[in-house]
Amino acid sequence: MNSGDNYRRRRKDKFSDDEDSCSTGHEPKKRDLNGIITSLLLLEEQGKRDREEQDEASNEEKSILESNHKRKTRTMFEFYTNLQDYYSEIDETDRVKRKMSRAMAASVAAAAVGQTENQSPDQQNKQSGSVQQRRLWVKDRSKAWWDECNRPDYPDDEFKKAFRMSKSTFELICEGLNSVIAKEDTTLRNAIPVKQRVAVCIWRLATGEPLRLVSKRFGLGISTCHKLILEVCSAIRSVLMPKYLHWPDEDSLRKIKEEIETVSGIPNVVGSMYTTHIPIIAPKMSVAAYFNKRHTERNQKTSYSITVQGVVDTRGVFTDVCIGWPGSMNDDQVLEKSALYQRANGGLLKGVWIVGSSGYPLMDWVLVPYTQQHLTWTQHAFNEKIGEIQKVAKEAFGRLKGRWCCLQKRTEVKLQDLPVVLGACCVLHNICEMRDEGIDPDLEFETVDDEMVPEVALKSVSSMKARDAIAHNLLHHGLAGTAFL
């Protein structure tokens, strides 16, 4: 019995020793596992805090960028409004001066007529001789060149080479402006005919020659030529622009959409948009606003400019223009200032697209190419089709500058008068395009305008989805281009 009890006691002591050793070995492993879990929880918590901080920083940066953009836009708008007010005051002052001078001249003429009626016939004969002598103060200039161009048998090719249009188109413009620019003869001089007035303006716009050469060609004074150019341009803008440069009606829009969809496969496109720069002489006011940094860097020559934004149809005819904003503004900033942008916000362009370059933001009515890196085949194919539509607008601006060479170099026209001249050039361009007036290949001009990616490239999530749907539809229906391959 004693030996059995001792055996059981030794075995029990052995088992208790084994349990103690096992419990002693598990405790360090348990502590290590708890430490690992704690570290993972801390890392996860730290990562969560880092993500929250990054989101806060990005949101803060985005709000700062948006506020800076709004502040810059507001400052630019206030500046341009003040500038327009300043020019309006100058125009009003000039108008009052001209009115006073005309009134004074009329009173002097009336007094002279009354004095003549009270004189005897002999005195009147002497006075008429003095009036004839009074005409002699006008300098006798030769206008043989214009008389030659104005002959009925003058070759139409030579006429078109000089004025960028045929005689029939020139006659059409003269008839449209006759009631506005025609003048009556006076006792001092004969009025300049309507045809000569229009010819002075068109030849100056077409050649870009200085007023000194315009004066020699047409036998008129330099100041007279300058005055005629502004008068005819103003008449073109006020009389012909409503007829030849306006937003299409519903039937025309439907036709444009069908033509563009037939060529590109992209539906509901009503036009192509482009913005170009017109060089100017450094203005006396607000030089920095008109400083064109991109042209200056490319040409290694200080450049100043104003912008012309235009929307064209499939023929290259302008359907909307926005003229005169300073050259320091990007394409998207000019777009936001345009009347087209305001009409689009009012619902005019709901359900349709206007194709623009990468310088414009993607919006509910502005369709632009993909600009991110590493494009897919679908996106490359879409960009190729968009480029074909965009090319129509760019080539239209090339023909505009090719026909009217005054737009290629810095002009003598004052800054406040320049929008009127540019508007007249756009109207004349439309008349030539509508009447199929071809352009001489030697006059073709390649437009080079640097496109800057807008600060906010995406202004509508729904438009991004619509663009993706169009791109997939082009590729899946075999309508996409393959040049990128």
Side-chain angles (χ1 to χ4, degrees), residues 201 205 228-238 420-421 423-425:
C201 176
L205 298 179
L228 288 179
I229 293 167
L230 294 181
E231 285 182 356
V232 175
C233 285
S234 179
I236 291 173
R237 186 174 181 181
S238 60
V420 177
V421 176
C425 289

Side-chain angles (χ1 to χ4, degrees), residues 60-304:
E60 184 178 357
E61 184 178 359
K62 182 179 179 181
S63 62
I64 292 174
L65 289 174
E66 290 179 352
S67 62
N68 290 338
H69 175 67
K70 291 180 180 178
R71 186 172 65 254
K72 290 179 181 178
T73 304
R74 185 169 58 253
T75 302
M76 186 63 69
F77 180 75
E78 292 175 354
F79 153 74
Y80 198 72
T81 302
N82 296 333
L83 186 63
Q84 287 180 326
D85 294 340
Y86 171 76
Y87 286 140
S88 298
E89 293 176 0
I90 293 178
D91 293 339
E92 182 66 20
T93 304
D94 292 341
R95 188 184 66 80
V96 172
K97 289 181 179 178
R98 288 195 299 270
K99 186 176 180 181
M100 293 176 62
S101 63
R102 286 196 298 267
M104 186 178 297
S107 62
V108 171
V113 171
Q115 184 179 2
T116 303
E117 291 177 351
N118 296 329
Q119 290 177 348
S120 63
D122 294 337
Q123 291 175 331
Q124 289 181 2
N125 291 334
K126 292 180 180 179
Q127 185 68 20
S128 63
S130 65
V131 171
Q132 294 293 333
Q133 294 296 324
R134 183 70 180 275
R135 288 179 179 271
L136 297 178
W137 72 272
V138 179
K139 184 177 180 180
D140 187 16
R141 296 181 174 89
S142 173
K143 53 178 183 176
W145 182 83
W146 164 242
D147 291 338
E148 179 72 13
C149 293
N150 198 29
R151 286 192 300 106
D153 59 343
Y154 189 73
D156 196 63
D157 293 341
E158 294 296 324
F159 188 91
K160 186 173 182 179
K161 186 176 181 181
F163 296 97
R164 308 297 192 260
M165 63 183 68
S166 62
K167 288 183 180 180
S168 59
T169 302
F170 180 80
E171 293 284 350
L172 175 69
I173 295 173
C174 292
E175 291 176 5
L177 300 177
N178 182 72
S179 61
V180 181
I181 64 175
K183 305 294 181 181
E184 296 182 355
D185 296 341
T186 64
T187 56
L188 296 179
R189 67 180 69 188
N190 295 327
I192 302 172
V194 171
K195 282 188 177 182
Q196 189 174 3
R197 290 172 176 270
V198 176
V200 168
C201 176
I202 292 181
W203 192 80
R204 157 73 167 156
L205 298 179
T207 62
E209 297 290 355
L211 293 172
R212 173 176 51 82
L213 294 182
V214 180
S215 171
K216 289 183 178 180
R217 283 294 177 103
F218 291 90
L220 300 171
I222 293 178
S223 59
T224 302
C225 291
H226 178 67
K227 182 180 178 182
L228 288 179
I229 293 167
L230 294 181
E231 285 182 356
V232 175
C233 285
S234 179
I236 291 173
R237 186 174 181 181
S238 60
V239 177
L240 299 183
M241 180 176 280
K243 183 177 180 181
Y244 292 101
L245 201 163
H246 56 80
W247 189 251
D249 55 24
E250 290 298 328
D251 292 337
S252 300
L253 286 177
R254 183 172 61 254
K255 183 178 179 181
I256 294 171
K257 287 191 284 188
E258 291 174 355
E259 291 176 351
I260 294 179
E261 186 172 4
T262 301
V263 174
S264 66
I266 301 178
N268 298 324
V269 177
V270 297
S272 178
M273 182 166 54
Y274 189 78
T275 300
T276 191
H277 289 255
I278 306 299
I280 62 172
I281 298 174
K284 296 180 180 179
M285 294 179 55
S286 307
V287 179
Y290 294 89
F291 176 68
N292 193 319
K293 181 180 178 182
R294 298 180 294 281
H295 285 200
T296 299
E297 293 175 349
R298 186 178 64 250
N299 301 329
Q300 297 298 311
K301 183 180 180 181
T302 304
S303 300
Y304 301 90

